[in-house]
Amino acid sequence: MTRPAAVFAAVICALALPAAVIAAAPAAHQIRVRIEPDTRFLQGRDSIRFDAPRAATLILSARFRVDSLLVDARPIELSARLDGGFQRIVLPAARRIDLGWSGTLAPLDPNLDHRGTLTYAEPAGGVQGTYLPAGSGWYPQVDGALERYSLELDLPLEQRGLVPGRLIEESQAGGRYRARFEFHQPAEGITLMAGPYRIEERRVRSATGREIRLRTYFHPQIAALGAGYLDSVAGYLDLYERRIGAYPFSEFSVVSSPTPTGFGMPTLTYLGIEVLRLPFIRATSLGHEVLHNWWGNGVYPDYARGNWSEGLTTFMADYAYRERESPEAARAMRLAWLRDYAAMPSAEDTPLARFTSRTHGASQIVGYNKSAMLFFMLRDAIGETAFDRGLREFWSTYRFRIASWDDLRGAFERASGKNLAAFFAQWLERTGAPALRIADANAEPVAGGWRLSVTLDQGAPAYALSVPLAVRTAGGEIVRRVDLSRERGTAVLELSTEPLQVALDPDLRLMRGLAAAEAPPILRDAMLAENPALVTPTADAAVQAAANELAAQLFEHAQAERTRASTLLVAGLHADIDAWLAREDMPSRPATLAAARGSAQVWSTRAGGGRIVVLVSVRDAASLAALARPLPHYGQQSYLVFEGARMIERGTWPAQPQVWEVRPKTRPR
């Protein structure tokens, strides 16, 4: 690989939208908001209109006070109930609600790590950035309704800001910057971003002939990157318009954040400054965020029945880029998906139909990776032409509508002419994956060739599978697919040349539980372990403190006693690690890492009984402390070398496919 795919985990591509099924008619907001980042003061007014009189509950953060409230132009007594940091304001049936509010935003924490950004829901601000996420209660959101809006933003002159939607006008006068945005399509909330941005703009003509405004809103230290990002966005818009259909909005912006955020919203993506600096992001994660304007922000998932948009976007963006790179790169990504799944504790596995949004590593493995693997297998099952035809129909039918997995299945059924109910049911509704194994294989000579019988075992409950088998024969390799719908079954293959060896799904085209040899140990084993433990074979107090901090960042579960631990993280100085390995009668430092280089070396291995051990060997305490922030981003790697916090080498131990040697037979005379 030429790009560190595991870093993509730091680019948290979760839709910044409420995970709820929203069925009511859209509410129309007309908002005016003034923000003073230096004092974190916010003042707003909102006029909310409905198509017909209706009762409504408004949700507003408890940080704010209600300054004024009118219902159909009449003042009423405020009736609010506090609920977990929010005010729930219950109002009688009306066509129009006018509300004024003000208060102080939370300070934006630039030290949030990649996990913290997943669940951060405070309206926060400061001179370096203001981030008011949808669902944080920064404006009076109508509970249970889609929302259209017009928004006027008022900021100090040195600041710029935006919300998803079309920029109607902007001005600079009287020491203030003002901008007005409109979003006429039904939306699932409003997110506002502001900062000391430098704006770069370009107008492009799309593949369908429409003019689209592209912008970067970048902090001064990365403003020079703007032109390159605009080039890349233009290319992605052209790519996906040609494959799916017309881009559904009038503009797209890339916005920088002082925190390690990565969110996709209609018409924009909000990415951390350090993420935007990474040289490979333009060729990878940026396209994922652009594609979300079709899947997730253009067609809304029916969250009550599962979020299909993350898996489809991962398949059509991240994975598709690997396919264009090479078959080997694509296979490596499929191996990484399956390897992550093998590292996930079975107790954390959930049916894909229950996935709504990413909140931790296990949810990403199911909602992104397993879901993307479903679409890969679906394309294999119905063919690329039918697959693309189904995507285009799905888009044209459900544009700006809520759609479920069932709706998606229907589009692919009509495109392919196949009944796909059983296929979708087994991958969406079940927990787990088949544990495919070759139980036996034998060959016998027959007139005109050889007959190879392969017995496969997949465990219970059985899946309906089309299993690829690669047979090495005296005349070369032959790949055949065999059907398996029972827990155990035997397939018979007629061959013209003598079979010598049979390999089970060596190209990794099925979602399945990997055998131990197929799943080389990786850092993710320690990150997701249910019962991890830290071992620090170094007496130095500074090293011990740094090791404890690293474990806190790495482990998703509380530590267990070493004797009960399923996985060990062993961190210490180089000499102490070597001595520990010798005492534990474990293999010494791998030859790949034997030559002393870098300030830290990290590798994973299997101990007796199959227990995973991750070794972190460092030059000094400072070298260990430097790993706390970057190391959690490299869960798919088996070994890494760091110089300070900078990764300088990485890799994965080779995976060995399941192979059955077929004993040679004598051909009849």
Side-chain angles (χ1 to χ4, degrees):
M1 282 184 281
T2 59
R3 296 183 295 268
V7 178
F8 301 161
V11 184
I12 305 162
C13 301
L15 297 176
L17 303 170
V21 177
I22 301 174
H29 292 261
Q30 190 167 354
I31 298 174
R32 299 180 64 182
V33 61
R34 177 171 66 90
I35 300 173
E36 306 296 340
D38 56 344
T39 61
R40 306 197 312 277
F41 178 73
L42 180 148
Q43 183 178 49
R45 296 189 62 84
D46 190 3
S47 179
I48 308 170
R49 299 173 184 267
F50 303 105
D51 291 340
R54 57 162 289 187
T57 297
L58 306 183
I59 299 175
L60 187 68
S61 171
R63 288 187 164 275
F64 303 117
R65 66 174 180 269
V66 176
D67 298 322
S68 61
L69 178 61
L70 300 175
V71 176
D72 281 342
R74 298 189 303 274
I76 70 165
E77 184 176 347
L78 179 66
S79 175
R81 175 172 60 88
L82 286 178
D83 181 10
F86 295 92
Q87 305 172 65
R88 297 182 65 86
I89 304 169
V90 180
L91 300 174
R95 281 183 176 271
R96 175 172 172 172
I97 301 166
D98 293 280
L99 187 146
W101 75 101
S102 61
T104 303
L105 301 170
L108 190 69
D109 183 2
N111 296 315
L112 277 174
D113 63 14
H114 68 290
R115 290 180 190 167
T117 60
L118 286 169
T119 55
Y120 192 76
E122 283 269 34
V127 174
Q128 286 305 306
T130 295
Y131 179 52
L132 312 180
S136 68
W138 74 268
Y139 72 98
Q141 185 164 4
V142 180
D143 189 20
L146 292 164
E147 300 177 311
R148 300 186 177 100
Y149 56 88
S150 170
L151 185 144
E152 295 183 30
L153 176 59
D154 183 340
L155 290 163
L157 190 59
E158 65 274 10
Q159 294 271 317
R160 299 289 184 270
L162 74 163
V163 294
R166 182 182 179 190
L167 174 63
I168 302 301
E169 59 182 351
E170 61 185 337
S171 63
Q172 302 175 47
R176 307 293 293 181
Y177 168 80
R178 296 178 177 86
R180 182 163 65 91
F181 298 85
E182 289 183 353
F183 198 91
H184 292 304
Q185 300 297 337
E188 295 179 293
I190 310 169
T191 296
L192 187 151
M193 293 134 286
Y197 293 135
R198 304 292 183 265
I199 296 174
E200 182 153 348
E201 178 176 310
R202 186 180 306 168
R203 305 290 181 107
V204 299
R205 189 70 60 181
S206 76
T208 57
R210 297 165 52 246
E211 184 179 78
I212 300 174
R213 184 207 308 259
L214 307 183
R215 277 191 166 191
T216 55
Y217 290 75
F218 281 179
H219 283 77
Q221 58 266 44
I222 61 167
L225 301 177
Y229 271 88
L230 295 180
D231 289 341
S232 297
V233 170
Y236 288 123
L237 291 175
D238 184 76
L239 171 68
Y240 292 120
E241 276 207 337
R242 293 179 188 278
R243 187 169 182 194
I244 303 168
Y247 179 66
F249 303 111
S250 59
E251 46 225 279
F252 187 86
S253 299
V254 185
V255 186
S256 63
S257 165
T259 67
T261 301
F263 292 115
M265 288 160 261
T267 74
L268 63 90
T269 183
Y270 188 51
L271 299 172
I273 293 172
E274 296 307 315
V275 171
L276 289 165
R277 280 179 165 146
L278 295 172
F280 55 86
I281 291 299
R282 282 173 49 196
T284 54
S285 299
L286 179 62
H288 182 113
E289 301 300 348
V290 172
L291 182 55
H292 263 313
N293 283 272
W294 281 266
W295 311 134
N297 298 324
V299 180
Y300 312 125
D302 184 347
Y303 290 102
R305 293 191 283 173
N307 179 356
W308 47 264
S309 70
E310 290 296 354
L312 183 56
T313 302
T314 298
F315 176 67
M316 293 185 64
D318 311 64
Y319 178 73
Y321 309 149
R322 295 300 187 86
E323 282 194 321
R324 287 203 295 273
E325 182 180 332
S326 70
E328 293 74 23
R331 183 188 182 278
M333 177 165 271
R334 297 196 298 275
L335 173 60
W337 292 342
L338 297 178
R339 186 60 195 87
D340 276 354
Y341 189 79
M344 183 175 64
S346 58
E348 296 191 15
D349 197 0
T350 57
L352 182 51
R354 294 184 191 171
F355 169 75
T356 55
S357 63
R358 177 186 170 188
T359 56
H360 50 74
S363 63
Q364 180 191 0
I365 290 168
V366 173
Y368 289 62
N369 303 357
K370 184 177 182 179
S371 182
M373 198 72 186
L374 178 151
F375 289 108
F376 174 78
M377 293 186 295
L378 176 64
R379 189 184 64 181
D380 268 2
I382 67 175
E384 188 168 354
T385 299
F387 186 88
D388 285 351
R389 187 163 58 241
L391 289 175
R392 289 191 293 271
E393 181 193 322
F394 182 65
W395 170 245
S396 64
T397 302
Y398 292 100
R399 187 173 180 266
F400 294 121
R401 293 173 56 192
I402 293 170
S404 68
W405 277 105
D406 285 343
D407 298 321
L408 192 57
R409 172 176 58 83
F412 286 119
E413 285 182 334
R414 289 186 291 275
S416 66
K418 294 183 177 181
N419 185 331
L420 300 171
F423 174 89
F424 276 87
Q426 68 182 10
W427 297 115
L428 292 179
E429 297 168 11
R430 293 185 187 179
T431 298
L436 269 173
R437 304 290 184 269
I438 299 176
D440 190 19
N442 58 77
E444 59 177 335
V446 295
W450 289 79
R451 179 172 294 139
L452 173 65
S453 298
V454 183
T455 300
L456 301 175
D457 192 337
Q458 63 165 309
Y463 287 71
L465 303 172
S466 174
V467 182
L469 297 177
V471 183
R472 185 169 66 84
T473 75
E477 186 176 84
I478 300 170
V479 178
R480 299 275 181 86
R481 281 188 176 259
V482 300
D483 292 334
L484 180 67
S485 58
R486 296 178 296 170
E487 294 175 19
R488 189 180 181 95
T490 299
V492 177
L493 304 179
E494 302 292 343
L495 305 171
S496 59
T497 53
E498 179 182 357
L500 306 175
Q501 193 181 74
V502 58
L504 174 70
D505 186 27
D507 202 31
L508 304 170
R509 304 192 77 84
L510 294 178
M511 179 69 207
R512 57 187 178 87
L514 297 178
E518 294 179 291
I522 56 173
L523 190 60
R524 188 88 73 210
D525 289 296
M527 295 168 65
L528 300 180
E530 288 183 289
N531 299 298
L534 171 67
V535 176
T536 312
T538 299
D540 187 292
V543 172
Q544 291 181 348
N548 284 321
E549 175 60 24
L550 178 63
Q553 293 296 320
L554 208 62
F555 295 154
E556 291 199 359
H557 296 280
Q559 291 189 47
E561 294 292 332
R562 179 181 171 182
T563 55
R564 297 177 49 249
S566 59
T567 298
L568 294 181
L569 174 68
V570 185
L573 301 178
H574 292 317
D576 296 321
I577 291 294
D578 290 333
W580 186 88
L581 290 170
R583 285 196 307 273
E584 297 292 323
D585 195 27
M586 289 186 59
S588 58
R589 192 179 303 260
T592 307
L593 305 175
R597 60 190 188 280
S599 60
Q601 299 176 352
V602 182
W603 72 96
S604 57
T605 187
R606 277 194 173 89
R611 181 161 69 173
I612 301 294
V613 180
V614 174
L615 289 303
V616 181
S617 180
V618 298
R619 179 188 302 154
D620 49 35
S623 301
L624 185 54
L627 300 181
R629 199 169 188 92
L631 194 58
H633 301 165
Y634 292 91
Q636 291 182 338
Q637 304 304 310
S638 295
Y639 64 89
L640 300 124
V641 179
F642 285 86
E643 185 60 58
R646 183 172 63 91
M647 187 275 298
I648 59 176
E649 189 175 338
R650 58 171 173 71
T652 304
W653 306 132
Q656 302 299 323
Q658 290 188 53
V659 175
W660 190 281
E661 299 291 338
V662 180
R663 288 184 301 173
K665 299 287 186 179
T666 303
R667 178 181 290 274
R669 295 181 180 179

